[in-house]
Amino acid sequence: MTSLPMLLTDAVADVGAEIDRRFDTLLAVPDDPRAGLYQAMRHAAIGGGKRLRPLLVMATADLFAVDRNCAALVGTAIEAIHVYSLIHDDLPAMDDDAMRRGKPTVHKAFDEATAILAGDCLHALAFEVLADPRTHADPFVRSELVLDLARAAGPSGMAGGQMMDLEAERARFDLPTVTRLQQMKTGALICAAVEAGAILGRVPPEGRTHLRGYAHDLGLAFQIADDLLDVEGDEALVGKTLRKDGEAGKETFLSLLGVDRAREQCRMLVEQAVGHLRSYGPEADLLRAIARYVVERDR
Amino acid sequence: MTSLPMLLTDAVADVGAEIDRRFDTLLAVPDDPRAGLYQAMRHAAIGGGKRLRPLLVMATADLFAVDRNCAALVGTAIEAIHVYSLIHDDLPAMDDDAMRRGKPTVHKAFDEATAILAGDCLHALAFEVLADPRTHADPFVRSELVLDLARAAGPSGMAGGQMMDLEAERARFDLPTVTRLQQMKTGALICAAVEAGAILGRVPPEGRTHLRGYAHDLGLAFQIADDLLDVEGDEALVGKTLRKDGEAGKETFLSLLGVDRAREQCRMLVEQAVGHLRSYGPEADLLRAIARYVVERDR
């Protein structure tokens, strides 16, 4: 971790603690038969993960001097969607994973029914937070945030990408199809996080082109780095079972490009992502550091 | 069905056809690996159900001369949440049901992974529709609708009630707890439908008291009628496997009150629901007819 600029390590620690605090408040365990449901949500949501998506919301919002409380709430909502998707993806009928973020997955620590419902609840809570006047006073901003996130989460985004990923075990996808799959499965929510920062900053859609370019390239680089970690990573550091894609016979960036070209492609995408930020000054250094971290990370 | 006023039968047929049309447009099958996902959503969403929630949105919106296109879109969004919850509730890890609305459940007709994702997609699509400026031009109305539905769907509403329902197999709930469970599991979304009609009608919160009272009593009456159908109903008409609650040893309104008192309670709640509409004239006749239908229905 010493190769990362201090700016990034500080921001990662700050945002991690901030998001944990928000989830702790949002998911206070009630004294009734739903206690297990809330414990399951807390198990999945608190104390783990890189918090990349909230970090992107907050780093983008910082470009436009957005209120930090507001950006943290929006980051929490997007992370809630990410966490719900991990809970559901780990289910036996889906990827059937036993470990996530170094802990047992929710259906292992609790049971399958609780895992399904915990995911569904985090999904609804994300939109409840975004539509709450206490998150942002302007209803136009609130409804833009909801639209941004709902599109990214649904069948044209994350959940659609997950469906394509399931089909990838049965079909042989080519590079454009794998790229589209990953752009939906991982990229859409990463783009939604940057877009949310721009919405909070009241940047009109036509002023978001560079930020969108940054997020698009970052999302793909992130997924290639994830594929590389899946092959070369240390399970103890990454916190989940690795090398499952190869066993399942799925085409990935790695199987299609080979390790060397995939690594090269990842580096190129990161430089391209950073290039999109050229109109910004030092205020975008954190976004630049996040992009560079993507190629260097070991978890 | 001859005992129902024409007003209601016409409205049910109209709204049913309308919601089918909206889902047909919303869920157009793409020519890519997500085709199965969309077919699964269509299987669950099109051509079935009483469409009680969209009917309530539209009947309430009609009190305030709301644009019918707008009310139909909001009704579709709420029905999408209802359908997603049915798909997930039917999963093997949850209620493990093979039939729904007279057809195989989604995980039977497709597979479990597709069923989980089809539910997740309908969940996200509901909020996408509500936050879309084409649904309503006023962002304040859009964000109120999202907040209304997200609260009703999440851990303090439908999904929380479903969790309590799972616990009901392990614990022995008393009447107040069963009432709260049902108010969350079924009642919250019924209340959200009426509330959405009032939001569209720009009724301020303090003017919604009577409509909320109506929805609250209707929701409980509906659930008691459902419990009665579960014991006395015809599986072919109801379209799903009945008499499962008794076998699971779950406390319900019926097990706690007995058939006669439950039926009496249901009738009383319906009269109480109708009583809340006394300040409205004939424009609320459809809402009155919906309430009376609840005690008479056979499916």
Side-chain angles (χ1 to χ4, degrees), chain B residues 165-256:
Chain B
D165 199 34
L166 291 172
E167 294 294 322
E169 292 188 18
R170 289 171 252 193
R172 284 245 150 257
F173 287 169
D174 56 10
L175 191 59
T177 311
V178 167
T179 304
R180 180 150 177 266
L181 183 169
Q182 298 299 356
Q183 178 48 30
M184 292 168 74
K185 191 183 168 199
T186 324
L189 209 55
I190 287 176
C191 289
V194 172
E195 189 91 12
I199 292 169
L200 288 173
R202 297 182 180 278
V203 182
E206 61 278 14
R208 297 177 200 163
T209 315
H210 296 313
L211 286 170
R212 283 177 180 164
Y214 163 83
H216 178 270
D217 294 338
L218 176 67
L220 275 182
F222 181 83
Q223 189 55 47
I224 298 177
D226 220 55
D227 285 359
L228 284 163
L229 268 180
D230 189 62
V231 170
E232 303 180 329
D234 177 341
E235 284 198 1
L237 273 178
V238 182
K240 64 181 178 184
T241 311
L242 298 178
R243 287 167 273 281
K244 293 184 69 176
D245 283 349
E247 287 163 25
K250 258 188 226 176
E251 298 290 9
T252 63
F253 287 119
L254 240 70
S255 68
L256 290 164

XYZ file of all heavy atoms in Angstrom, chain B residues 165-256:
695
model
N -43.153 -12.859 8.675
C -43.934 -14.031 8.268
C -43.078 -15.306 8.337
O -43.565 -16.362 8.727
C -44.454 -13.809 6.848
C -45.633 -14.719 6.526
O -46.429 -14.999 7.441
O -45.745 -15.152 5.370
N -41.808 -15.191 7.947
C -40.908 -16.355 8.046
C -40.695 -16.738 9.508
O -40.685 -17.917 9.859
C -39.556 -16.047 7.398
C -39.543 -15.895 5.872
C -38.175 -15.407 5.402
C -39.889 -17.208 5.183
N -40.569 -15.713 10.362
C -40.381 -15.973 11.787
C -41.631 -16.599 12.408
O -41.538 -17.300 13.420
C -40.036 -14.672 12.535
C -38.693 -14.067 12.162
C -37.520 -14.954 12.581
O -37.585 -15.559 13.639
O -36.549 -15.045 11.793
N -42.783 -16.318 11.795
C -44.055 -16.815 12.346
C -44.100 -18.337 12.374
O -44.868 -18.924 13.144
C -45.232 -16.269 11.544
N -43.283 -18.999 11.553
C -43.260 -20.467 11.579
C -42.515 -20.970 12.810
O -42.732 -22.091 13.249
C -42.604 -21.013 10.309
C -43.443 -20.762 9.077
C -42.914 -21.469 7.832
O -42.110 -22.414 7.969
O -43.300 -21.064 6.727
N -41.613 -20.127 13.333
C -40.804 -20.537 14.490
C -41.403 -20.061 15.804
O -41.281 -20.691 16.822
C -39.377 -19.983 14.349
C -38.587 -20.696 13.249
C -37.264 -20.003 12.967
N -37.277 -19.306 11.689
C -36.194 -18.836 11.080
N -35.006 -18.958 11.642
N -36.286 -18.242 9.900
N -42.021 -18.854 15.779
C -42.535 -18.260 17.018
C -44.055 -18.446 17.088
O -44.671 -18.909 16.143
C -42.190 -16.780 17.049
N -44.637 -18.090 18.211
C -46.109 -18.069 18.344
C -46.520 -16.621 18.489
O -46.364 -16.024 19.547
C -46.554 -18.850 19.593
C -46.513 -20.343 19.472
C -47.940 -20.963 19.562
N -47.992 -22.192 18.773
C -48.564 -22.284 17.571
N -49.174 -21.270 17.031
N -48.555 -23.418 16.908
N -47.041 -16.027 17.419
C -47.413 -14.621 17.469
C -48.820 -14.452 18.035
O -49.704 -15.259 17.763
C -47.352 -14.017 16.061
C -45.937 -13.823 15.558
C -45.710 -13.507 14.216
C -44.837 -13.927 16.399
C -44.416 -13.312 13.741
C -43.544 -13.734 15.929
C -43.336 -13.428 14.591
N -49.021 -13.351 18.793
C -50.368 -13.022 19.267
C -51.059 -12.118 18.242
O -50.466 -11.739 17.230
C -50.302 -12.365 20.657
C -49.418 -11.129 20.669
O -49.002 -10.668 19.578
O -49.125 -10.616 21.762
N -52.314 -11.785 18.517
C -53.109 -11.023 17.545
C -52.493 -9.665 17.186
O -52.414 -9.336 16.005
C -54.558 -10.872 18.042
C -55.558 -10.321 17.019
C -55.647 -11.189 15.780
C -56.946 -10.167 17.648
N -52.012 -8.873 18.182
C -51.384 -7.598 17.787
C -50.166 -7.804 16.879
O -49.947 -7.026 15.952
C -50.966 -6.976 19.128
C -51.821 -7.632 20.157
C -52.131 -9.007 19.653
N -49.379 -8.870 17.131
C -48.194 -9.092 16.298
C -48.586 -9.548 14.889
O -48.013 -9.091 13.901
C -47.253 -10.119 16.967
O -47.058 -9.746 18.329
C -45.911 -10.175 16.263
N -49.590 -10.438 14.800
C -50.070 -10.867 13.477
C -50.646 -9.665 12.727
O -50.427 -9.498 11.519
C -51.115 -12.002 13.599
C -51.837 -12.224 12.277
C -50.443 -13.293 14.057
N -51.361 -8.797 13.433
C -51.931 -7.604 12.796
C -50.815 -6.720 12.237
O -50.879 -6.256 11.105
C -52.782 -6.800 13.812
O -53.775 -7.666 14.361
C -53.450 -5.615 13.146
N -49.771 -6.525 13.041
C -48.646 -5.687 12.592
C -47.951 -6.342 11.404
O -47.609 -5.681 10.425
C -47.681 -5.501 13.771
C -46.486 -4.660 13.406
C -45.920 -3.871 14.570
N -44.734 -3.176 14.089
C -43.509 -3.659 14.210
N -43.282 -4.789 14.852
N -42.476 -2.992 13.689
N -47.721 -7.649 11.496
C -47.103 -8.402 10.395
C -47.879 -8.165 9.089
O -47.296 -7.812 8.055
C -47.111 -9.890 10.772
C -46.486 -10.966 9.891
C -46.418 -12.282 10.688
C -47.163 -11.228 8.571
N -49.192 -8.355 9.147
C -50.001 -8.237 7.931
C -50.094 -6.795 7.464
O -50.130 -6.529 6.263
C -51.403 -8.807 8.158
C -51.411 -10.294 8.496
C -50.824 -11.163 7.388
O -50.460 -10.677 6.322
N -50.696 -12.455 7.660
N -50.115 -5.856 8.416
C -50.142 -4.442 8.043
C -48.879 -4.097 7.252
O -48.904 -3.314 6.327
C -50.280 -3.567 9.293
C -50.260 -2.071 9.044
C -51.188 -1.623 7.929
O -52.222 -2.204 7.668
N -50.779 -0.579 7.211
N -47.750 -4.724 7.614
C -46.508 -4.489 6.880
C -46.488 -5.287 5.572
O -46.231 -4.744 4.507
C -45.305 -4.877 7.737
C -45.088 -3.957 8.939
S -43.900 -4.638 10.110
C -42.387 -4.354 9.194
N -46.760 -6.576 5.663
C -46.561 -7.471 4.513
C -47.493 -7.142 3.337
O -47.063 -7.102 2.193
C -46.766 -8.926 4.948
C -46.327 -9.921 3.900
C -46.616 -11.351 4.321
C -46.422 -12.271 3.122
N -47.082 -13.569 3.296
N -48.764 -6.926 3.616
C -49.726 -6.636 2.543
C -50.223 -5.205 2.622
O -50.399 -4.541 1.601
C -50.969 -7.550 2.654
O -50.566 -8.822 3.101
C -51.677 -7.648 1.317
N -50.441 -4.729 3.840
C -51.076 -3.438 4.025
C -50.237 -2.270 3.523
O -50.768 -1.326 2.935
N -48.926 -2.343 3.728
C -48.069 -1.196 3.399
C -48.169 -0.826 1.919
O -48.256 0.350 1.562
C -46.620 -1.490 3.788
N -48.179 -1.833 1.035
C -48.218 -1.547 -0.401
C -49.602 -1.063 -0.828
O -49.727 -0.221 -1.731
C -47.800 -2.793 -1.187
C -47.133 -2.547 -2.534
C -45.929 -1.634 -2.407
C -46.705 -3.870 -3.172
N -50.652 -1.589 -0.167
C -52.023 -1.121 -0.436
C -52.147 0.344 -0.006
O -52.699 1.174 -0.736
C -53.038 -2.049 0.272
C -53.098 -3.390 -0.489
C -54.408 -1.402 0.394
C -53.982 -4.449 0.129
N -51.592 0.665 1.147
C -51.578 2.067 1.598
C -50.777 2.939 0.641
O -51.173 4.068 0.327
C -50.994 2.181 3.009
S -52.084 1.531 4.292
N -49.639 2.427 0.165
C -48.801 3.204 -0.750
C -49.535 3.494 -2.054
O -49.345 4.554 -2.661
C -47.495 2.463 -1.041
N -50.378 2.558 -2.492
C -51.120 2.751 -3.743
C -52.116 3.905 -3.595
O -52.189 4.796 -4.457
C -51.839 1.460 -4.136
N -52.865 3.905 -2.477
C -53.830 4.985 -2.242
C -53.097 6.312 -2.043
O -53.479 7.352 -2.596
C -54.723 4.642 -1.017
C -55.597 5.823 -0.630
C -55.578 3.414 -1.328
N -52.003 6.261 -1.281
C -51.184 7.454 -1.038
C -50.657 8.016 -2.371
O -50.630 9.235 -2.567
C -50.009 7.079 -0.127
C -49.188 8.236 0.387
C -49.686 8.771 1.741
O -50.520 8.116 2.390
O -49.237 9.866 2.114
N -50.246 7.136 -3.270
C -49.734 7.590 -4.571
C -50.818 8.342 -5.341
O -50.545 9.380 -5.962
C -49.221 6.400 -5.389
N -52.053 7.842 -5.270
C -53.166 8.546 -5.919
C -53.341 9.937 -5.335
O -53.575 10.912 -6.060
N -53.189 10.041 -4.000
C -53.331 11.338 -3.333
C -52.164 12.267 -3.676
O -52.344 13.474 -3.844
C -53.435 11.126 -1.827
N -50.958 11.693 -3.781
C -49.787 12.496 -4.172
C -49.998 13.055 -5.578
O -49.773 14.243 -5.837
C -48.488 11.650 -4.119
C -48.147 11.282 -2.667
C -47.317 12.396 -4.784
C -47.044 10.242 -2.525
N -50.444 12.192 -6.484
C -50.717 12.646 -7.856
C -51.795 13.730 -7.866
O -51.764 14.635 -8.706
C -51.168 11.471 -8.730
C -50.086 10.463 -9.101
C -50.694 9.261 -9.819
C -49.015 11.118 -9.983
N -52.746 13.617 -6.938
C -53.823 14.605 -6.846
C -53.413 15.857 -6.088
O -54.213 16.751 -5.873
N -52.133 15.904 -5.688
C -51.573 17.048 -4.965
C -52.332 17.358 -3.680
O -52.453 18.527 -3.275
C -51.512 18.283 -5.865
C -50.580 18.061 -7.059
C -50.486 19.315 -7.917
N -49.611 19.132 -9.069
C -48.290 19.241 -9.027
N -47.671 19.502 -7.893
N -47.578 19.067 -10.140
N -52.839 16.311 -3.037
C -53.461 16.475 -1.728
C -52.322 16.614 -0.717
O -51.446 15.751 -0.659
C -54.309 15.230 -1.369
C -55.009 15.426 -0.030
C -55.303 14.913 -2.480
N -52.301 17.668 0.081
C -51.215 17.788 1.069
C -51.365 16.703 2.136
O -52.484 16.226 2.375
C -51.433 19.177 1.664
C -52.865 19.492 1.414
C -53.265 18.770 0.164
N -50.254 16.307 2.784
C -50.304 15.210 3.766
C -51.450 15.347 4.770
O -52.125 14.364 5.071
C -48.931 15.289 4.444
C -48.037 15.856 3.398
C -48.886 16.827 2.624
N -51.701 16.577 5.262
C -52.739 16.744 6.277
C -54.148 16.520 5.707
O -55.094 16.323 6.463
C -52.626 18.112 6.957
C -52.771 19.334 6.052
C -51.473 19.714 5.310
O -50.537 18.886 5.288
O -51.433 20.826 4.752
N -54.275 16.507 4.397
C -55.577 16.248 3.774
C -55.788 14.783 3.412
O -56.788 14.425 2.795
N -54.827 13.937 3.786
C -54.908 12.533 3.353
C -55.442 11.598 4.436
O -55.497 10.393 4.235
C -53.513 12.037 2.926
C -52.947 12.779 1.726
C -51.535 12.302 1.390
N -50.817 13.286 0.595
C -49.499 13.316 0.428
N -48.742 12.394 1.021
N -48.930 14.238 -0.314
N -55.826 12.163 5.593
C -56.197 11.331 6.744
C -57.286 10.305 6.410
O -57.151 9.124 6.730
C -56.688 12.228 7.903
O -55.781 13.330 8.031
C -56.738 11.458 9.211
N -58.366 10.744 5.762
C -59.473 9.826 5.476
C -59.047 8.744 4.489
O -59.392 7.576 4.653
C -60.675 10.595 4.911
C -61.246 11.552 5.893
N -61.502 11.204 7.198
C -61.600 12.863 5.779
C -61.990 12.245 7.854
N -62.050 13.267 7.015
N -58.271 9.136 3.477
C -57.827 8.153 2.488
C -56.889 7.132 3.129
O -56.927 5.948 2.813
C -57.137 8.852 1.311
C -58.100 9.592 0.369
C -57.322 10.468 -0.617
C -59.002 8.607 -0.381
N -56.057 7.627 4.059
C -55.162 6.706 4.766
C -55.954 5.738 5.631
O -55.631 4.554 5.722
C -54.166 7.487 5.626
C -53.045 8.096 4.807
C -52.119 8.936 5.677
N -51.044 9.505 4.884
C -50.265 10.500 5.274
N -50.450 11.042 6.478
N -49.309 10.954 4.487
N -56.982 6.241 6.279
C -57.840 5.381 7.098
C -58.491 4.305 6.236
O -58.518 3.123 6.601
N -59.004 4.743 5.083
C -59.616 3.800 4.132
C -58.624 2.703 3.753
O -58.923 1.507 3.825
C -60.070 4.578 2.894
C -60.356 3.713 1.671
C -61.592 3.082 1.514
C -59.384 3.537 0.679
C -61.852 2.288 0.400
C -59.635 2.746 -0.425
C -60.867 2.122 -0.562
O -61.115 1.331 -1.660
N -57.397 3.107 3.367
C -56.396 2.151 2.885
C -55.971 1.193 3.999
O -55.799 -0.010 3.773
C -55.181 2.898 2.341
N -55.823 1.733 5.194
C -55.408 0.912 6.336
C -56.429 -0.197 6.620
O -56.079 -1.374 6.746
C -55.228 1.815 7.560
C -54.841 1.078 8.790
N -55.780 0.576 9.673
C -53.635 0.717 9.278
C -55.164 -0.056 10.660
N -53.855 0.014 10.447
N -57.709 0.185 6.689
C -58.753 -0.800 6.990
C -58.931 -1.778 5.829
O -59.119 -2.977 6.034
C -60.067 -0.089 7.304
C -59.965 0.726 8.591
O -59.084 0.406 9.420
O -60.744 1.674 8.762
N -58.853 -1.254 4.611
C -58.959 -2.123 3.430
C -57.846 -3.167 3.416
O -58.077 -4.345 3.137
C -58.877 -1.271 2.159
C -58.870 -2.032 0.839
C -60.209 -2.713 0.597
C -58.530 -1.114 -0.331
N -56.627 -2.743 3.736
C -55.483 -3.665 3.722
C -55.666 -4.822 4.689
O -55.429 -5.978 4.340
N -56.148 -4.502 5.889
C -56.366 -5.574 6.880
C -57.512 -6.486 6.451
O -57.407 -7.712 6.556
C -56.650 -4.977 8.261
C -55.419 -4.628 9.102
C -55.848 -4.105 10.459
C -54.506 -5.850 9.285
N -58.589 -5.880 5.960
C -59.737 -6.680 5.498
C -59.290 -7.608 4.368
O -59.653 -8.788 4.326
C -60.856 -5.754 5.006
N -58.486 -7.084 3.472
C -57.986 -7.871 2.339
C -57.214 -9.089 2.841
O -57.360 -10.196 2.328
C -57.095 -6.982 1.469
C -56.550 -7.690 0.270
C -57.311 -7.816 -0.888
C -55.272 -8.230 0.275
C -56.819 -8.486 -2.001
C -54.767 -8.904 -0.829
C -55.544 -9.019 -1.968
N -56.383 -8.878 3.863
C -55.563 -9.983 4.352
C -56.409 -11.033 5.071
O -56.181 -12.228 4.929
C -54.464 -9.455 5.278
C -53.452 -10.517 5.653
C -52.830 -11.189 4.429
O -52.421 -10.507 3.497
N -52.804 -12.519 4.399
N -57.416 -10.577 5.826
C -58.299 -11.545 6.487
C -59.053 -12.347 5.420
O -59.167 -13.568 5.511
C -59.277 -10.835 7.449
C -58.477 -10.116 8.547
C -60.248 -11.842 8.073
C -59.330 -9.318 9.520
N -59.530 -11.652 4.374
C -60.217 -12.349 3.278
C -59.278 -13.359 2.626
O -59.691 -14.457 2.237
C -60.717 -11.332 2.249
N -58.006 -12.998 2.524
C -57.013 -13.904 1.950
C -56.839 -15.143 2.827
O -56.749 -16.268 2.320
C -55.669 -13.167 1.840
C -54.939 -13.496 0.560
O -55.538 -13.329 -0.530
O -53.772 -13.936 0.639
N -56.803 -14.928 4.133
C -56.707 -16.053 5.071
C -57.934 -16.956 4.944
O -57.820 -18.185 4.997
C -56.594 -15.548 6.519
C -55.201 -14.991 6.841
O -54.326 -15.016 5.952
O -54.986 -14.528 7.976
N -59.116 -16.341 4.790
C -60.350 -17.123 4.636
C -60.307 -17.935 3.343
O -60.654 -19.116 3.325
C -61.576 -16.195 4.637
C -61.990 -15.663 6.020
C -62.921 -14.457 5.873
C -62.678 -16.763 6.846
N -59.849 -17.300 2.275
C -59.718 -18.000 0.987
C -58.739 -19.160 1.109
O -58.926 -20.210 0.494
C -59.199 -17.043 -0.088
C -60.222 -16.300 -0.932
C -59.496 -15.416 -1.931
C -61.147 -17.275 -1.652
N -57.700 -18.941 1.896
C -56.686 -19.979 2.056
C -57.315 -21.241 2.655
O -56.911 -22.357 2.337
C -55.553 -19.480 2.961
C -54.368 -20.433 2.996
O -53.766 -20.638 1.924
O -54.069 -20.978 4.066
N -58.327 -21.054 3.495
C -58.969 -22.197 4.155
C -60.163 -22.709 3.351
O -60.393 -23.915 3.234
C -59.419 -21.788 5.581
C -60.307 -22.850 6.209
C -58.192 -21.553 6.452
N -60.931 -21.763 2.756
C -62.196 -22.154 2.142
C -62.176 -22.094 0.628
O -63.128 -22.495 -0.027
C -63.307 -21.216 2.643
C -63.439 -21.197 4.161
C -64.552 -20.265 4.621
O -64.807 -19.255 3.918
O -65.158 -20.561 5.661
N -61.075 -21.554 0.050
C -61.069 -21.256 -1.376
C -60.894 -22.479 -2.261
O -60.540 -23.557 -1.803
N -61.114 -22.259 -3.561
C -60.969 -23.269 -4.597
C -59.613 -23.026 -5.276
O -59.399 -21.967 -5.862
C -62.129 -23.096 -5.589
C -62.035 -24.054 -6.763
O -60.927 -24.591 -7.025
O -63.061 -24.252 -7.431
N -58.697 -23.990 -5.192
C -57.343 -23.782 -5.727
C -57.364 -23.384 -7.199
O -56.565 -22.570 -7.646
C -56.486 -25.044 -5.549
C -56.013 -25.227 -4.115
C -54.825 -26.187 -3.986
O -54.341 -26.697 -5.014
O -54.387 -26.411 -2.841
N -58.292 -23.973 -7.966
C -58.353 -23.694 -9.406
C -58.694 -22.222 -9.645
O -58.137 -21.579 -10.540
C -59.380 -24.598 -10.076
N -59.585 -21.663 -8.820
C -59.954 -20.251 -8.967
C -58.856 -19.343 -8.443
O -58.498 -18.344 -9.074
C -61.237 -19.957 -8.186
C -62.570 -20.206 -8.894
C -63.715 -19.917 -7.959
C -62.665 -19.338 -10.148
N -58.317 -19.670 -7.271
C -57.332 -18.793 -6.632
C -55.997 -18.854 -7.398
O -55.255 -17.870 -7.445
C -57.152 -19.163 -5.139
C -56.160 -18.230 -4.461
C -58.504 -19.099 -4.422
N -55.707 -20.008 -8.000
C -54.529 -20.093 -8.865
C -53.229 -20.344 -8.135
O -52.150 -20.157 -8.695
N -53.298 -20.728 -6.860
C -52.076 -21.077 -6.133
C -52.394 -22.167 -5.106
O -53.573 -22.449 -4.826
C -51.462 -19.845 -5.461
C -52.329 -19.211 -4.380
C -51.657 -17.970 -3.779
C -52.548 -17.319 -2.726
N -52.002 -16.084 -2.193
N -51.355 -22.769 -4.563
C -51.545 -23.812 -3.560
C -52.089 -23.200 -2.281
O -51.554 -22.202 -1.790
C -50.194 -24.499 -3.255
O -49.591 -24.851 -4.499
C -50.409 -25.765 -2.432
N -53.159 -23.772 -1.750
C -53.789 -23.221 -0.553
C -53.472 -24.087 0.664
O -52.821 -25.111 0.569
C -55.314 -23.132 -0.760
C -55.771 -22.215 -1.903
C -57.284 -22.252 -2.044
C -55.313 -20.779 -1.681
N -53.972 -23.606 1.803
C -53.895 -24.360 3.069
C -52.466 -24.675 3.494
O -52.212 -25.699 4.121
C -54.752 -25.632 2.983
C -56.236 -25.300 3.044
C -57.160 -26.406 2.660
N -57.429 -26.484 1.235
C -58.294 -25.700 0.561
N -58.968 -24.778 1.192
N -58.473 -25.816 -0.739
N -51.517 -23.789 3.159
C -50.135 -24.019 3.585
C -49.852 -23.451 4.978
O -49.003 -23.963 5.690
C -49.152 -23.393 2.579
C -49.183 -24.096 1.233
C -48.146 -23.525 0.294
C -46.743 -23.869 0.757
N -45.714 -23.428 -0.172
N -50.563 -22.361 5.334
C -50.299 -21.726 6.626
C -50.600 -22.677 7.774
O -49.820 -22.792 8.716
C -51.147 -20.447 6.789
C -50.564 -19.293 5.990
O -49.426 -19.438 5.497
O -51.243 -18.270 5.856
N -51.759 -23.342 7.689
C -52.149 -24.281 8.744
C -51.119 -25.390 8.883
O -50.693 -25.720 9.996
N -50.688 -25.913 7.735
C -49.694 -26.993 7.762
C -48.377 -26.523 8.387
O -47.709 -27.283 9.072
C -49.437 -27.513 6.338
C -50.598 -28.334 5.792
C -50.537 -28.496 4.280
O -49.430 -28.421 3.705
O -51.608 -28.701 3.674
N -48.015 -25.268 8.136
C -46.752 -24.750 8.677
C -46.895 -24.363 10.153
O -45.922 -23.979 10.789
C -46.301 -23.549 7.858
N -48.106 -24.464 10.683
C -48.325 -24.129 12.096
C -48.223 -22.635 12.365
O -47.944 -22.192 13.473
N -48.458 -21.807 11.314
C -48.388 -20.348 11.478
C -49.658 -19.810 12.089
O -50.756 -20.205 11.692
C -48.265 -19.711 10.082
C -46.895 -19.268 9.715
C -46.960 -18.480 8.407
C -45.890 -18.943 7.479
N -45.951 -18.282 6.173
N -49.531 -18.847 13.001
C -50.708 -18.148 13.492
C -51.157 -17.152 12.421
O -50.346 -16.421 11.850
C -50.403 -17.398 14.793
C -49.989 -18.284 15.960
C -51.119 -19.146 16.523
O -52.213 -19.199 15.922
O -50.892 -19.777 17.573
N -52.460 -17.146 12.144
C -53.040 -16.182 11.206
C -54.264 -15.572 11.886
O -54.619 -15.973 13.000
C -53.499 -16.886 9.914
O -54.543 -17.809 10.265
C -52.356 -17.642 9.259
N -54.916 -14.609 11.208
C -56.157 -14.077 11.757
C -57.134 -15.212 12.034
O -57.858 -15.211 13.022
C -56.782 -13.074 10.780
C -56.037 -11.775 10.730
C -55.448 -11.320 9.555
C -55.918 -10.994 11.868
C -54.762 -10.127 9.530
C -55.238 -9.787 11.843
C -54.654 -9.360 10.671
N -57.139 -16.213 11.155
C -58.079 -17.317 11.272
C -57.783 -18.209 12.458
O -58.694 -18.593 13.196
C -58.028 -18.152 9.996
C -59.379 -18.183 9.310
C -59.647 -16.800 8.732
C -59.425 -19.243 8.279
N -56.500 -18.566 12.607
C -56.172 -19.472 13.716
C -56.413 -18.775 15.051
O -56.752 -19.405 16.039
C -54.721 -19.952 13.601
O -53.828 -18.887 13.828
N -56.260 -17.451 15.061
C -56.414 -16.712 16.314
C -57.866 -16.343 16.600
O -58.277 -16.269 17.753
C -55.552 -15.446 16.293
C -54.039 -15.697 16.363
C -53.260 -14.455 15.957
C -53.628 -16.131 17.773
